[in-house]
Amino acid sequence: MAVNREEKKLETKNRILEAAMCLFAEQGFESTTVAQITEAAGVAKGTFFNYFKTKEDVRGKLNKLVAIDEIVNLKDKPGPYAPRFLALVKTLGDAMAENHGMLLLSIQGMLANNQNIEESKEGFCLIMDNLIPVFEKGQQTGEFTTTIPATTMACIATQIYLGTMLNWVMGISKEGFGDQLLISFQVFFEGILKK
């Protein structure tokens, strides 16, 4: 059975991401070159640029995948969910804050054109889709209020994340990104925890 074109493209993109992830882990983001990524992935340099504009785009995609993975793991664990979620946003925020410039480029990339906006929207919709079951489980166990739909909670959590990221990148807050996310989500959970 022949592999269709879309499957082949996805396979190539995943090879690039896997190669980049291994190289970033081994030698660090700054020390890794696009040439090293393409060599490890077994693709031509031009092929890399068919999928990603820059090395920073690859890192941004990997960060989203890690966040989605962590949320999927969260929804498969028993509650309480608020402390686990707070620990997750703090850890992810601290990891992302290591490179302020990369985070700024990520935001600029998200807003650069309609295609990037659509790709970013798909990524955040995927995060929201995986957050909804966490909030539903929290409602079922009595941790979260049932007066606010789980879908609304997931939407607001995503808005808080994006707003906090923009606020941090613009330098409005002097706290670390992880700390700022933690504070923002503590306020959020105060509003949805069942009293």
Side-chain angles (χ1 to χ4, degrees), residues 70-81 84 134 137:
E70 293 299 323
I71 291 167
V72 168
N73 289 336
L74 183 65
K75 78 178 184 187
D76 292 335
K77 295 183 183 205
Y81 295 101
R84 289 176 187 213
V134 174
K137 283 184 169 183

Side-chain angles (χ1 to χ4, degrees), residues 38-110:
T38 57
E39 183 180 331
V43 299
K45 197 170 183 181
T47 301
F48 174 93
F49 293 107
N50 288 336
Y51 296 92
F52 303 99
K53 290 181 183 168
T54 63
K55 180 175 73 166
E56 286 77 11
D57 284 348
V58 173
R59 185 171 171 181
K61 179 71 172 174
L62 289 172
N63 285 341
K64 279 185 194 158
L65 293 173
V66 167
I68 291 166
D69 251 8
E70 293 299 323
I71 291 167
V72 168
N73 289 336
L74 183 65
K75 78 178 184 187
D76 292 335
K77 295 183 183 205
Y81 295 101
R84 289 176 187 213
F85 194 90
L86 290 171
L88 172 61
V89 296
K90 170 77 167 116
T91 301
L92 290 175
D94 286 346
M96 293 173 73
E98 291 176 8
N99 191 334
H100 182 274
M102 200 292 294
L103 207 49
L104 179 59
L105 285 173
S106 176
I107 291 172
Q108 290 171 337
M110 277 192 273

